[in-house]
Amino acid sequence: MKAHDGMYIDGAWRPADGRDAIDVVNPVDEQVIGRVPAGTALDVDTAVRAARAALPGWAATPPAERAARLAALRDVLVARKDEVAETVTAELGSPLKFSQAVHAAAPIAVAGSYAELTATYAFEEKVGNSVVHHEPVGVVGAITPWNYPLHQIVAKVAPALAAGCTVVLKPAEDTPLTAQLFAEAVHEAGVPAGVFNLVTGLGPVAGQALAEHPGVDLVSFTGSTAVGRRIGALAGAAVKNVALELGGKSANVILPSADLAKAVNVGVANVMSNSGQTCSAWTRMLVHRDQYDEAVALAAEAAAKYGDRIGPVVNAKQRERVRGYIEKGVAEGARIVAGGPEAPQEQGYFVSPTVLADVTEDMTVAQEEIFGPVLSVLRYEDEEDALRIANGTVYGLAGAVWAGEEAEAVAFARRMETGQVDINGGRFNPLAPFGGYKQSGVGRELGAHGLTEYLQTKSLQF
Ligand code: NAP
Ligand code: MG
């Protein structure tokens, strides 16, 4: 795999400050496929200075021109979509078809949506005797995870550039090659030097330095709640803007009037896709007690069909973590009806698609984010009980409701403490705001709501 041995700063690939490097590993065969520099605080500082220097020019660039750069970026992502898919497959391990359909395609849709939005957005509005200007927040420090490596980057960088902000990105250490490819795409799209900068490196070193840097005005983070909490505390102490997209433990609520087989099959597919490494995955399936046994049998059958069609999880640590959760579930009284903690094959970080039945709401597997192909099926007595269980975690990122009538599902969804709900299997919408209630985060990404995260207002009175 192609890898740059420098950092993309101020419009060019520049030598890294230190000599330390990160090996990039293919999770399917555990082979090293590339090596990137491990950034230091000095690399971060150089990148932030470049972003600060570029800020006035980019902020003053007319929205139509910023829109044109984003449209060009989308076009590059289209032209290089096969390369994107192959790179994500190589470092994340996802099956190539999934990389093409999701990892390469979603960022194209999101970049395209921001190209359109930038061209039409009212960056100026009249409120009584005032004119309110929506101005860029400033320099953005973006810290992203590995699970949707390009999507997570584009969901921050596209709205930031649309708003007139400049960016320093610290991508996940497991998927830096996709980030380097993105930097090439930004360059090819004609985005001016310094507007976007990339520093690869480790979270506690380069990530921490970026979050702490006084030259950063907004820290936008996606990842674990543990790290998000630290970043939020740092930002609070420095009175900086912060956006946090954290974990989830979303409920898939199947009401008795629903098409049970469809709800279960779509629910299993939702959890198994990307090997369960999706923060918004519906990892808790809630089924009425009268339909419980049937639902469990359907879920076990559906999961077994996935077999070896899902990819591995991202690294050995995640594999051990996920297997540990399955074992903990069994120790606390859950019953394995598909999959299990045993490694399905000797090589690669694979975990079997697993379904746990007889899960109760207080169990660890019903409360903590597992981030692997593991579905827990819970039993509810009546609708109030289902709502109580659905809302009974610290998280509130996503969810699903299934019912015979849409109105019944909507009424239930309105009572859920969560940022997104799919009604009877609703489709992904790149313009719909995405983000968490409760400890799933602060702020929203995507669409116009995502754009406002990168804007601040200035009111002029007349
Ligand atoms: P993570 O540690 O929170 O990683 C997210 C990003 O933050 C990565 O770029 C990471 O760098 C960086 N980071 C780590 N420590 C940091 C620090 N002290 N200061 C600043 N940045 C820091 O998540 P992970 O270790 O990759 O995954 C652990 C768990 O997080 C998963 O099992 C899952 O539960 C959750 N997760 C959630 C999402 C989501 O979309 N909500 C995504 C991924 C993971 P490194 O890559 O070098 O660690
Ligand atoms: Mg980490």
Side-chain angles (χ1 to χ4, degrees):
M1 277 278 134
K2 180 164 126 195
H4 290 275
D5 64 2
M7 306 299 186
Y8 182 75
I9 295 177
D10 204 17
W13 293 93
R14 297 175 193 280
D17 165 46
R19 294 238 179 123
D20 289 352
I22 296 170
D23 283 340
V24 186
V25 174
N26 184 329
V28 171
D29 59 14
E30 305 180 33
Q31 298 302 305
V32 174
I33 54 166
R35 174 170 276 216
V36 302
T40 64
L42 185 61
D43 290 314
V44 169
D45 185 59
T46 308
V48 172
R49 283 170 193 277
R52 277 235 86 82
L55 180 63
W58 185 245
T61 300
E65 170 58 16
R66 299 203 300 260
R69 290 307 110 224
L70 286 167
L73 175 61
R74 176 205 51 211
D75 293 346
V76 178
L77 294 177
V78 170
R80 300 183 69 174
K81 64 181 190 332
D82 292 337
E83 207 185 331
V84 167
E86 282 156 20
T87 305
V88 174
T89 287
E91 60 184 1
L92 182 65
S94 47
L96 189 59
K97 266 199 181 139
F98 188 78
S99 296
Q100 288 163 336
V102 177
H103 291 300
I108 291 169
V110 173
S113 77
Y114 278 112
E116 279 172 35
L117 202 55
T118 315
T120 55
Y121 194 78
F123 286 97
E124 203 183 303
E125 63 179 315
K126 227 176 161 292
V127 180
N129 62 315
S130 303
V131 173
V132 179
H133 293 268
H134 297 262
E135 299 187 341
V137 164
V139 173
V140 174
I143 301 174
T144 54
W146 41 263
N147 60 336
Y148 288 88
L150 188 59
H151 172 72
Q152 308 281 22
I153 289 171
V154 173
K156 296 187 190 307
V157 176
L161 299 197
C165 293
T166 58
V167 179
V168 176
L169 169 68
K170 202 304 279 179
E173 66 188 78
D174 289 300
T175 53
L177 302 180
T178 305
Q180 290 190 337
L181 209 168
F182 176 74
E184 288 182 7
V186 169
H187 190 85
E188 247 181 89
V191 173
V195 170
F196 170 81
N197 308 275
L198 171 69
V199 176
T200 51
L202 302 180
V205 183
Q208 175 108 3
L210 184 58
E212 283 177 346
H213 200 292
V216 169
D217 302 296
L218 162 67
V219 184
S220 181
F221 169 83
T222 299
S224 63
T225 300
V227 176
R229 194 173 275 128
R230 289 178 59 136
I231 286 175
L234 280 174
V239 198
K240 257 181 212 179
N241 290 284
V242 65
L244 305 171
E245 294 290 342
L246 308 178
K249 192 72 197 176
S250 298
N252 178 15
V253 181
I254 306 176
L255 295 173
S257 60
D259 177 339
L260 184 68
K262 186 175 176 199
V264 170
N265 281 310
V266 175
V268 170
N270 173 284
V271 172
M272 299 311 161
S273 97
N274 213 35
S275 305
Q277 303 167 119
T278 306
C279 45
S280 57
W282 313 329
T283 49
R284 295 179 299 149
M285 183 181 283
L286 275 55
V287 183
H288 188 270
R289 64 184 158 105
D290 292 346
Q291 298 173 326
Y292 189 79
D293 292 340
E294 191 185 349
V296 165
L298 286 165
E301 195 187 326
K305 269 197 230 139
Y306 276 84
D308 52 12
R309 280 195 292 130
I310 66 168
V313 296
V314 71
N315 57 36
K317 193 175 145 203
Q318 283 295 114
R319 180 187 56 196
E320 292 322 304
R321 203 169 162 257
V322 175
R323 287 160 72 181
Y325 271 118
I326 299 171
E327 282 163 358
K328 186 136 202 203
V330 172
E332 292 180 6
R335 174 166 55 98
I336 295 172
V337 295
E342 302 78 24
Q345 54 195 81
E346 262 173 43
Q347 205 179 39
Y349 309 128
F350 289 90
V351 177
S352 296
T354 297
V355 177
L356 297 175
D358 299 341
V359 174
T360 55
E361 56 184 307
D362 48 307
M363 288 182 192
T364 307
V365 291
Q367 290 294 328
E368 294 183 14
E369 186 173 46
I370 298 176
F371 238 60
V374 182
L375 169 69
S376 295
V377 190
L378 291 88
R379 191 185 274 107
Y380 68 80
E381 294 294 318
D382 56 27
E383 205 171 301
E384 290 310 308
D385 195 36
L387 185 71
R388 192 183 51 75
I389 297 170
N391 289 339
T393 76
V394 297
Y395 294 116
L397 189 56
V401 185
W402 301 80
E405 298 293 330
E406 235 171 51
E408 187 191 356
V410 169
F412 190 96
R414 290 298 304 272
R415 299 170 73 199
M416 289 169 79
E417 296 163 357
T418 191
Q420 269 204 0
V421 185
D422 290 353
I423 304 295
N424 283 341
R427 287 168 298 120
F428 173 68
N429 175 1
L431 293 176
F434 178 82
Y437 277 37
K438 302 194 282 187
Q439 288 182 32
S440 284
V442 175
R444 293 291 179 270
E445 292 195 316
L446 304 181
H449 296 83
L451 178 58
T452 62
E453 297 282 328
Y454 296 90
L455 293 166
Q456 57 188 344
T457 55
K458 179 182 287 168
S459 308
L460 305 183
Q461 281 64 245
F462 295 87

